[in-house]
Amino acid sequence: MSHSFETATGLRRLLVRLRVSGQNAWEHDAEAHDLMLYAARKYEALAIKHRCDPTAGAAAAFEAMRTYAVRTADDPWAVVTMAVKVTLIAEERADGLLCSVDQARRPEISRHHDVRRFCDTDADLPNFLPALAVEPFNRDETPPTGAYEAVDATIDLFTALGWPRDTATCTLDYISARLVESGSRPKAHAALRRDHTARALLDIEQEAWSTVLRIVLGNPNPDEACTSDGHGVLLRLLIGHPVAELLDDDLLVFEISETAPRPKARIHA
C-alpha cells in the first residue's frame, strides 16, 4: 500500500499540515503514524549499518521532519535522508569515543580514534603506547634522598658551620617532629614561631629562632614559594639539591653561622 507522503510533494504537504495543526498533531494524526512506520522501515538498514539501534533512523528522521529546512526543500526526502545519515554517523562515533552525540559531531573530537581497551590487543603495550614504557631500574644510580637522610644532612650542614652537634640534632629533631604533626611546612612554621618552649629548651633567642625556621622550613612569604629561600633546606635536599650547592649559597652559609649558639663567658668573682 502506497502513501502520498512517499513522494516529495506529498511529504511536504503532510509536514506543512502537521505544522499548522498544533502541538499534538504528530501524536494523534493517523497519517503521521503511518509516516513514522514508513520511516522506520526506510532507515532501518542504514541504522544497522552504522551499528545503531534499528529505530534510531526513525528517531533521527522525526527530528529532521520538524525543521523548516525539510518543509521548504525541493526534495524533502533527500534532506531527511542526509540528516538521518549524519545523525547515525555521529551516534556511531559517539559510541566509539564514549562521548555524547553533540560532542561527536565536532571535528576536533570526531577525528580521534575509537576508545581501545588494553585487553582487546595482543600487542606489546610499551610499543603500542610509548607513554607506558618505563626505564629499567639501575641499581648503580644514587637513590633519591629520603626524609631521614635530609634531616641528617641538615644536621651535618649546621654542625660544619659552627653549631654544636647535640644542639643541631635537638633543633632539627624538634622541628621535624612538629612538621610531621602539622602535615605542612607553613603550618609547622607558624606553630614553631610561637613555640616559647622550644626556645627555652634549646636556649635560642627569638631572632635566631625565626632565622633557623626560615632556613630549615623555607620563607613563608607566598611571593617566595617557588624560590630556593621559599623551599627551605629540608625540601631542597629532598628534591635532589646536593649539599655542595647549599654551601655555594653565601647568604645561607652566613645565616647558619650567625645563628650558631655562642658559649657564654664565665663571670669570675
Side-chain angles (χ1 to χ4, degrees):
M1 179 179 178
S2 61
H3 300 276
S4 60
F5 55 69
E6 295 181 17
T7 65
T9 303
L11 177 60
R12 185 185 307 106
R13 184 183 300 112
L14 174 58
L15 295 179
V16 172
R17 181 174 65 78
L18 293 173
R19 173 64 178 175
V20 299
S21 297
Q23 297 180 350
N24 299 325
W26 281 92
E27 183 177 357
H28 301 293
D29 191 277
E31 193 174 9
H33 178 266
D34 293 337
L35 172 62
M36 293 312 303
L37 292 177
Y38 175 79
R41 293 191 300 269
K42 181 179 179 66
Y43 299 115
E44 181 179 2
L46 186 61
I48 295 175
K49 176 184 176 182
H50 290 286
R51 297 182 294 180
C52 298
D53 188 273
T55 61
F62 172 70
E63 295 294 336
M65 290 176 185
R66 299 169 62 193
T67 63
Y68 175 82
V70 172
R71 291 195 305 270
T72 58
D74 293 336
D75 189 350
W77 277 117
V79 179
V80 171
T81 300
M82 181 57 66
V84 171
K85 184 176 181 180
V86 171
T87 300
L88 294 177
I89 291 175
E91 290 193 10
E92 183 181 17
R93 298 294 296 128
D95 184 63
L97 295 169
L98 299 182
C99 66
S100 66
V101 177
D102 291 337
Q103 288 179 315
R105 292 178 184 270
R106 302 175 184 174
E108 63 272 18
I109 302 297
S110 62
R111 69 168 178 260
H112 297 297
H113 63 74
D114 289 353
V115 175
R116 300 173 184 172
R117 297 176 177 86
F118 291 149
C119 60
D120 293 339
T121 178
D122 295 330
D124 186 19
L125 288 181
N127 294 330
F128 179 72
L129 190 60
L132 296 177
V134 178
E135 294 295 330
F137 177 72
N138 187 357
R139 296 184 178 275
D140 296 333
E141 292 182 357
T142 303
T145 304
Y148 292 108
E149 290 81 358
V151 173
D152 290 340
T154 306
I155 293 174
D156 292 339
L157 177 64
F158 274 59
T159 302
L161 295 176
W163 279 66
R165 174 164 288 276
D166 56 348
T167 304
T169 302
C170 292
T171 301
L172 267 297
D173 286 347
Y174 195 92
I175 294 175
S176 300
R178 294 298 178 270
L179 179 59
V180 172
E181 292 175 0
S182 61
S184 69
R185 291 183 295 116
K187 290 181 181 179
H189 190 284
L192 287 168
R193 186 166 49 86
R194 299 186 297 269
D195 193 338
H196 301 291
T197 303
R199 290 177 46 219
L201 291 174
L202 301 172
D203 193 20
I204 299 178
E205 297 180 356
Q206 177 63 47
E207 184 177 355
W209 179 239
S210 299
T211 303
V212 169
L213 293 179
R214 178 173 53 79
I215 292 172
V216 176
L217 298 177
N219 194 330
N221 187 347
D223 295 336
E224 304 289 339
C226 297
T227 65
S228 296
D229 189 39
H231 290 160
V233 170
L234 278 181
L235 180 57
R236 292 178 66 180
L237 290 171
L238 283 171
I239 62 179
H241 290 204
V243 176
E245 180 178 332
L246 301 180
L247 292 173
D248 287 338
D249 189 337
D250 295 337
L251 180 59
L252 177 64
V253 171
F254 175 77
E255 288 181 331
I256 294 177
S257 301
E258 285 297 305
T259 56
R262 301 286 187 254
K264 297 181 180 179
R266 294 183 179 180
I267 300 177
H268 299 278

